[in-house]
C-alpha cells in the first residue's frame, strides 16, 4: 500500500493532512492505538520540519504486513550538524515559527522516540530526507 | 447486546411509510451510519450514536424518537419526574418553576426531582477522580452519551480519557431511589421517569455504555411533556406547587455550554456541536491538543438546549436559563433542600460515590475492516482500487453517503459497485467492447 503527499512551503495549516489520512488507514487496519499515536506524532513532526526549516517537499508512505515506512524528503538548506539537531531543546526556528507555537527543539528527538528506525540523509544546500520505520502489531 | 443483536439500543427510528429516500440524513450523519436500501433510509445499528443530526435535517419528518408509553406511570405508586433545568428553560420567564411542577403533579407524577441537585457533589467526585488518575492529562466528561458513543466507535484510543463515573442523570436517579428506599418505600413501587431533551439520553438509559442496567424506569420526550404542561398552564395559571428546591445559579447553568468547565481550572475546554467535537478529538488523539483537566463536550450546538426534542429555540432557551440563574443568585441563599443535605451524611455520600463508578467503557471501532492485518491490508488496497473507479462527487445516488463509503461497503460485501450509476455506465461500455469482440455469447458465460 503506497501513499504520496506533497508538502507545501510555509503552509503550517495544511501540515497534518498526511498524518490525518494515514491515521484513518491505520484504524481500518486495526493497528493498536499506541502504535498509531507514535506514527502520527512522528510523521507530523517531520512534516512540520519540512514546512518550517525547508521549502516544502514530498512524503512517501508504504505499509506492508509488518511495518510502515515513511519517507519525508525536502528541498532545503540541509542540516549542518545532525548530532546537534538531535539534541532536545536545540532549535534554530525563526521568531515567526516560534510565534506559531513551534521551535521547542523537540521535533527530531520525538521522531527518534516514536519510531523503531530513524535515518537522516542530508546535504547542505540540497535537502534532507528523513526515513522512519515503525513495526506494526494489531 | 440488545434485542436486535447490536451493542446499542437506539431511540432513533425510521418510519418507512413516510421516508422518501431523499438522502438528506445520509449526508448529515457524522458516523456515516445511514444508507438508502430499497428507497428507504436504514440505520446501521453499530455505527449510530443517537446524536439526532438525521432527525434535525429530515424534511419529511420520517425519523422519530421512540419514547416509553405514558401509561407506564400507572404501574407505580411513587412516580418521580426527573427534570433537567433545560425543561424549565423551554418556558417563558414569567412562568414560575413552581407552576410547572404543579402541572407535572396534575399530569400524574407524585414527585418532581431536578437532575442538577447532584451537581456540587459531582464536581467533587470529578476532582477526586482526576487527582486519582494523574497518568491522564485530558479528561473527557461523561455528560453527553452521544459523545461517549462517538468516542467508542470512532476514537477507541480515547475511551480511557472518559471519566469513568456515571452521568449526572444516573447519579441523580441513584440518589433519589436510594433515599426513597431508605425511607422505607419498597423498590418496586418506585418509578423514575426522565424528561429527555434528546435521543442520546434515551438510548443511554435503555443501554448504558458500560452494559449495566439503568435504574431509570422510563423516558418521556421533552416535547411531549412540554405540550401537556403548556396546555395546562393556559387553562389554570393559578395553580402552584410549593417547592423547597434550592438549585443554585451554577446548577441551573450546568446543562449549557461551559456549565461544567466553569467549575474547573483554566486549562479546561468546552466544546459543543458534533462536528466540532470530532475535530477536537482528532487533535487530542494526535496529541496536538491536551487539556490539563476537563474537556466538557456535548453533541448539540449550545449543548442540551439544542437537543432535538427541545421545542424552544436554543438561543432563546439559553438566554432564559441564564436569566433564571441570575435571579436565583441575586436572592438570599435558600436553605439547602433535603436532597442536598443528604450528601452531608458522610456514610450516604460514600455509598453513592461507590455506586456511580463505572468499570469499563469498551472501545467498539467501526473503522476496523478485519482483525487480521494481512486481510485488512488487502481490503484497504481493494478499497483504493474501487475508489479509483468512482467519480468522487459524493452524489449519494448509490445509497451511500460518499464514494468513499460505497467503496467500503463494497469490500464489506454490503453493496455493489454497480450501484454507482457512473461506474455502471463505465462497466456497460466495457461489456459492449467485449461483446463486440467476443460476441453476445459472452453474456451466458
Ligand atoms: N528538514 C530540515 N531542514 C533543515 N533543518 C532542519 C530540518 N529539520 C530540523 N532541522 C534543524 O534541526 C533543528 C532541530 O529540529 P527539531 O524538529 O528537533 O526542533 P524544532 O523544529 O526547531 O522545534 P520543534 O520541532 O520542537 O517545534 C531545527 O531547529 C533546524 O535547525
Ligand atoms: S448535548 Fe445534551 S441534548 Fe445533545 S445529545 Fe448530548 S446530552 Fe443530548
Ligand atoms: Mg521540528
Amino acid at each position: 500500500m503506497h501513499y504520496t503527499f506533497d508538502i507545501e512551503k510555509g503552509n503550517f495549516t495544511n501540515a497534518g493532512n498526511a498524518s490525518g489520512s494515514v491515521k484513518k488507514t491505520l484504524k481500518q487496519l486495526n493497528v493498536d492505538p499506541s502504535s498509531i499515536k507514535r506514527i502520527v506524532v512522528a510523521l507530523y513532526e517531520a512534516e512540520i520540519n519540512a514546512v518550517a526549516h525547508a521549502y516544502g517537499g514530498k512524503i512517501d508512505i508504504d505499509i506492508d504486513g509488518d511495518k510502515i515506512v515513511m519517507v519525508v524528503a525536502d528541498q532545503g538548506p540541509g542540516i549542518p550538524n545532525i548530532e546537534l539537531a538531535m539534541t532536545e531543546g536545540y532549535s534554530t526556528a525563526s521568531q515567526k515559527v516560534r510565534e506559531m507555537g513551534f521551535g521547542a527543539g523537540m521535533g527530531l528527538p520525538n521522531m527518534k522516540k516514536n519510531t523503531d528506525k530513524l535515518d537522516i540523509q542530508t546535504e547542505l544546500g540540497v535537502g534532507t530526507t528523513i526515513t522512519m520505520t515503525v513495526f506494526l502489531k494489531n | 447486546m440488545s434485542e436486535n443483536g447490536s451493542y446499542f439500543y437506539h431511540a432513533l427510528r425510521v418510519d418507512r411509510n413516510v421516508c422518501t429516500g431523499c438522502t438528506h440524513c445520509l449526508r448529515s450523519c457524522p458516523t456515516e451510519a445511514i444508507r438508502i436500501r430499497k428507497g428507504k433510509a436504514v440505520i446501521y445499528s453499530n455505527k449510530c450514536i443517537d446524536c439526532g443530526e438525521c432527525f434535525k435535517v429530515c424534511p419529511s419528518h420520517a425519523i422519530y424518537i421512540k419514547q416509553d408509553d405514558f401509561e407506564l406511570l400507572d404501574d407505580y405508586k411513587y412516580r418521580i419526574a426527573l427534570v433537567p433545568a433545560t425543561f424549565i428553560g423551554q418556558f417563558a420567564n414569567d412562568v414560575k418553576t413552581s407552576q410547572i411542577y404543579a402541572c407535572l403533579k396534575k399530569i400524574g407524577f407524585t414527585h418532581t426531582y431536578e437532575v442538577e441537585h447532584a451537581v456540587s457533589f459531582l464536581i467533587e467526585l470529578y476532582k477526586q477522580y482526576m487527582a486519582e488518575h494523574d497518568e491522564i492529562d485530558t479528561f473527557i466528561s461523561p455528560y453527553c452519551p452521544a459523545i461517549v458513543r462517538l468516542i467508542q466507535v470512532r476514537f477507541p484510543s480515547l475511551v480511557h480519557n472518559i471519566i469513568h463515573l456515571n452521568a449526572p442523570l444516573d447519579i441523580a436517579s441513584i440518589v433519589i431511589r436510594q433515599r426513597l428506599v431508605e425511607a422505607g418505600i419498597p423498590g418496586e413501587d418506585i418509578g423514575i421517569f426522565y424528561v429527555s431533551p434528546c435521543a442520546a439520553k434515551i438510548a443511554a438509559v435503555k443501554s448504558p455504555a458500560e452494559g449495566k442496567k439503568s435504574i431509570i424506569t422510563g423516558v418521556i420526550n421533552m416535547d411531549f411533556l412540554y405540550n401537556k404542561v403548556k396546555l395546562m398552564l393556559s387553562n389554570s395559571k393559578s395553580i402552584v406547587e410549593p417547592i423547597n428546591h434550592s438549585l443554585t445559579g451554577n446548577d441551573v447553568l450546568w446543562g449549557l455550554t461551559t456549565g461544567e468547565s466553569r467549575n474547573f481550572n483554566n486549562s479546561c475546554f468546552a466544546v459543543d456541536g458534533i462536528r466540532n467535537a470530532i475535530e477536537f478529538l482528532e487533535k487530542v488523539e494526535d496529541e496536538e491538543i491536551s487539556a490539563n483537566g476537563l474537556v466538557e463536550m456535548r453533541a448539540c450546538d449550545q449543548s442540551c438546549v439544542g437537543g432535538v426534542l427541545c421545542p424552544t429555540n436554543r438561543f432563546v432557551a439559553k438566554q432564559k436559563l441564564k436569566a433564571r440563574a441570575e435571579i436565583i443568585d441575586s436572592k438570599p441563599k435558600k436553605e439547602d433542600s433535603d436532597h442536598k443535605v443528604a450528601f452531608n451524611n458522610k456514610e450516604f455520600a460514600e455509598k453513592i460515590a461507590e455506586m456511580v463508578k463505572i468499570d469499563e467503557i469498551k472501545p467498539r471501532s467501526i473503522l476496523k475492516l478485519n482483525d487480521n492485518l494481512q486481510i485488512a491490508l488487502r481490503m484497504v488496497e481493494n478499497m483504493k482500487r474501487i475508489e479509483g473507479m468512482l467519480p468522487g462527487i459524493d452524489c449519494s445516488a448509490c445509497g451511500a453517503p460518499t464514494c468513499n463509503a460505497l467503496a467500503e461497503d463494497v469490500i464489506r460485501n454490503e453493496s455493489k459497485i454497480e450501484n454507482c450509476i457512473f461506474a455502471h455506465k463505465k462497466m456497460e461500455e466495457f461489456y459492449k467492447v467485449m461483446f463486440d469482440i467476443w460476441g453476445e455469447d459472452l453474456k451466458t458465460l
Side-chain angles (χ1 to χ4, degrees):
Chain A
M1 172 79 49
H2 184 84
Y3 293 91
T4 52
F5 301 91
D6 283 325
I7 309 174
E8 224 180 296
K9 179 190 169 191
N11 191 340
F12 285 90
T13 24
N14 272 357
N17 283 0
S19 37
S21 57
V22 168
K23 185 166 81 173
K24 182 161 184 215
T25 303
L26 294 170
K27 283 188 183 181
Q28 288 172 328
L29 296 176
N30 199 29
V31 170
D32 80 295
S34 69
S35 303
I36 295 183
K37 202 169 261 180
R38 291 170 63 215
I39 292 164
V40 169
V41 168
L43 181 59
Y44 183 71
E45 292 287 4
E47 260 186 286
I48 290 287
N49 276 2
V51 175
H53 308 299
Y55 323 126
K58 191 175 160 232
I59 304 175
D60 278 288
I61 296 169
D62 275 289
I63 306 174
D64 66 23
D66 63 346
K67 62 181 181 306
I68 177 168
V69 181
M70 301 171 275
V71 181
V72 182
D74 68 52
Q75 296 89 46
I79 305 174
N81 184 339
I82 294 182
E83 203 181 322
L84 186 61
M86 291 296 298
T87 317
E88 282 189 17
Y90 175 80
S91 174
T92 61
S94 64
Q95 191 54 36
K96 189 179 152 234
V97 170
R98 281 173 206 269
E99 274 164 16
M100 303 193 67
F102 304 104
M106 291 305 292
L108 282 166
N110 262 338
M111 287 181 237
K112 174 100 194 140
K113 197 174 80 195
N114 285 300
T115 54
D116 295 317
K117 263 196 241 166
L118 172 71
D119 175 71
I120 305 173
Q121 299 294 328
T122 185
E123 196 177 326
L124 290 183
V126 179
T128 303
T129 299
I130 308 262
T131 305
M132 299 175 287
T133 306
V134 174
F135 295 103
L136 302 178
K137 28 183 208 294
N138 74 344
Chain B
M1 287 203 199
S2 71
E3 77 279 12
N4 51 7
S6 76
Y7 293 114
F8 301 137
Y9 170 95
H10 293 292
L12 287 164
R13 307 286 167 93
V14 180
D15 185 341
R16 295 181 58 84
N17 295 321
V18 181
C19 175
T20 61
C22 70
T23 76
H24 278 81
C25 55
L26 291 194
R27 292 145 176 274
S28 73
C29 177
T31 57
E32 299 193 332
I34 311 180
R35 299 291 182 275
I36 306 290
R37 298 279 179 257
K38 298 200 167 80
K40 307 286 173 192
V42 174
I43 303 178
Y44 282 11
S45 192
N46 286 346
K47 292 187 176 179
C48 174
I49 58 169
D50 286 287
C51 65
E53 292 296 307
C54 53
F55 181 99
K56 289 179 196 163
V57 299
C58 179
S60 350
H61 304 290
I63 295 180
Y64 65 98
I65 295 175
K66 197 175 176 305
Q67 69 171 343
D68 285 315
D69 200 345
F70 199 65
E71 321 273 85
L72 194 61
L73 255 74
D74 300 342
D75 296 352
Y76 300 88
K77 202 160 150 208
Y78 295 84
R79 304 174 290 276
I80 293 102
L82 197 51
V83 188
T86 309
F87 184 60
I88 307 301
Q90 303 305 307
F91 296 90
N93 278 1
D94 62 350
V95 178
K96 290 201 180 75
T97 309
S98 54
Q99 286 174 284
I100 297 170
Y101 290 176
C103 292
L104 291 179
K105 204 157 210 183
K106 267 192 116 177
I107 288 167
F109 294 98
T110 57
H111 299 70
T112 306
Y113 184 79
E114 289 135 324
V115 174
E116 290 83 7
H117 265 296
V119 159
S120 40
F121 176 66
L122 192 69
I123 293 171
E124 291 316 309
L125 286 188
Y126 279 12
K127 285 186 177 159
Q128 199 181 326
Y129 182 94
M130 293 195 265
E132 283 167 5
H133 293 80
D134 56 359
E135 74 284 3
I136 299 173
D137 47 16
T138 304
F139 291 89
I140 302 169
S141 164
Y143 177 93
C144 171
I147 294 295
V148 171
R149 288 186 181 193
L150 174 72
I151 293 172
Q152 287 182 287
V153 300
R154 268 192 67 166
F155 300 94
S157 71
L158 298 179
V159 285
H160 72 273
N161 295 70
I162 303 171
I163 293 183
H164 278 47
L165 293 175
N166 272 314
L169 163 62
D170 305 277
I171 298 185
S173 47
I174 288 173
V175 172
I176 187 146
R177 189 174 286 270
Q178 185 74 14
R179 293 202 59 226
L180 289 174
V181 168
E182 278 177 16
I185 293 165
E188 65 269 22
D189 283 352
I190 307 167
I192 302 182
F193 297 87
Y194 174 58
V195 182
S196 181
C198 65
K201 293 271 198 208
I202 300 179
V205 165
K206 302 290 174 184
S207 59
E210 73 282 15
K212 281 188 204 161
K213 198 178 171 316
S214 170
I215 62 169
I216 296 166
T217 315
V219 186
I220 309 295
N221 289 0
M222 190 171 285
D223 54 351
F224 172 86
L225 208 58
Y226 172 83
N227 287 337
K228 276 190 174 279
V229 171
K230 187 92 180 158
L231 188 71
M232 201 169 272
L233 279 173
S234 54
N235 296 336
S236 51
K237 261 208 141 106
S238 55
I239 55 161
V240 288
E241 172 77 7
I243 38 174
N244 81 336
H245 81 81
S246 65
L247 287 188
T248 60
N250 193 44
D251 297 340
V252 170
L253 297 176
W254 187 254
L256 294 177
T257 304
T258 72
E260 285 171 277
S261 61
R262 65 205 291 272
N263 291 286
F264 298 86
N265 66 30
N266 287 335
S267 26
C268 293
F269 291 88
V271 182
D272 62 5
I274 191 83
R275 308 269 162 192
N276 295 336
I278 291 171
E279 183 187 330
F280 194 92
L281 291 170
E282 293 281 0
K283 291 192 188 297
V284 172
E285 199 174 50
D286 297 350
E287 294 183 351
E288 267 181 68
I289 298 180
S290 84
N292 205 350
L294 186 80
V295 176
E296 163 196 316
M297 198 172 261
R298 283 95 181 264
C300 295
D301 179 37
Q302 308 299 323
S303 296
C304 293
V305 285
V308 294
L309 294 171
C310 294
T312 302
N313 174 280
R314 59 190 178 282
F315 299 100
V316 174
K318 172 179 157 186
Q319 180 260 337
K320 285 184 176 153
L321 280 178
K322 283 190 157 172
R324 281 191 194 259
E326 216 163 275
I327 293 169
I328 292 173
D329 285 342
S330 69
K331 287 185 183 158
K333 196 180 172 300
K334 276 197 198 164
E335 234 175 85
D336 271 342
S337 67
D338 35 334
H339 287 307
K340 282 197 178 181
V341 172
F343 289 113
N344 296 343
N345 178 332
K346 204 162 166 266
E347 207 178 306
F348 179 78
E350 275 170 9
K351 197 161 171 184
I352 298 293
E354 213 37 58
M355 287 170 87
V356 301
K357 283 185 187 157
I358 295 174
D359 298 336
E360 195 190 4
I361 299 174
K362 287 201 176 73
R364 304 202 187 287
S365 173
I366 51 169
L367 294 168
K368 82 167 176 201
L369 295 170
N370 198 287
D371 284 323
N372 180 305
L373 184 62
Q374 297 296 342
I375 297 174
L377 199 58
R378 227 173 302 136
M379 289 171 84
V380 173
E381 275 163 3
N382 284 338
M383 205 157 93
K384 254 183 111 181
R385 224 167 278 145
I386 292 167
E387 263 183 75
M389 296 175 67
L390 303 175
I393 56 167
D394 298 342
C395 72
S396 302
C398 61
T402 60
C403 298
N404 200 292
L406 175 67
E408 187 178 328
D409 287 351
V410 172
I411 55 148
R412 287 188 191 271
N413 274 329
E414 283 161 4
S415 188
K416 293 194 299 269
I417 186 161
E418 291 89 331
N419 286 346
C420 170
I421 44 174
F422 299 92
H424 191 87
K425 189 103 186 53
K426 269 193 207 162
M427 306 263 276
E428 267 181 359
E429 279 162 19
F430 167 77
Y431 286 135
K432 196 173 167 297
V433 174
M434 299 305 278
F435 296 152
D436 283 349
I437 301 171
W438 302 100
E440 292 279 322
D441 283 356
L442 196 67
K443 268 186 189 160
T444 57
L445 287 181

